[in-house]
Amino acid sequence: MIRDQLMPIADTTVAVDPVDGSIHGFVSLVGGNMIGGLFVLPTAQGAGHGRALVEHVAAKHDPLLVEVFEANARARGFYAALGFAPHETSVHEETSLPVLILRRSQGGRAHTSSPDAVSGGAEPTVASP
């Protein structure tokens, strides 16, 4: 589904390790300003890649939106730490579970308490292929 449906219509940015050049994650925007997917390799989580990706796309898109399951406390905390706030509620069609649409306006800013905050070392870099 992601490869066939999301990737052809998405604007994708990757997180590149500044030391070895490996790709550690990516964010894809759909519809101009909706995060359709944010993925960071489990071995690269906690190094700031997710935060760097969101900050990169937030600098270009205002407002920025993302949909998360209401029960996903980790994702909600991550996005809240980056300045996102609840905007709308909905029900996920496939699962019937409640989802939140979170919104970040230009005034949103990152806080270092995020689960993906930089924990030291070199800042990850982002690149749009």
Side-chain angles (χ1 to χ4, degrees):
M1 178 183 140
I2 290 175
R3 182 186 61 173
D4 297 332
Q5 295 178 5
L6 179 62
M7 295 307 287
I9 62 168
D11 176 12
T12 301
T13 302
V14 297
V16 179
D17 186 289
V19 176
D20 66 14
S22 62
I23 295 175
H24 285 225
F26 68 91
V27 62
S28 291
L29 294 180
V30 293
N33 68 335
M34 172 70 81
I35 295 175
L38 173 63
F39 301 97
V40 176
L41 292 172
T43 56
Q45 292 177 2
H49 298 293
R51 179 191 51 77
L53 286 164
V54 171
E55 291 296 340
H56 180 77
V57 296
K60 297 178 178 184
H61 302 277
D62 184 37
L64 189 59
L65 304 170
V66 64
E67 181 180 85
V68 298
F69 284 104
E70 186 176 48
N72 189 342
R74 183 173 183 202
R76 288 186 8 241
F78 171 77
Y79 288 112
L82 291 172
F84 286 81
H87 178 62
E88 293 179 28
T89 59
S90 184
V91 174
H92 188 255
E93 288 182 27
E94 295 175 17
T95 64
S96 298
L97 294 172
V99 293
L100 299 172
I101 306 292
L102 306 177
R103 182 178 191 268
R104 173 181 159 156
S105 296
Q106 196 64 10
R109 46 177 245 248
H111 304 282
T112 56
S113 61
S114 132
D116 208 8
V118 174
S119 58
E123 279 284 321
T125 57
V126 295
S128 297

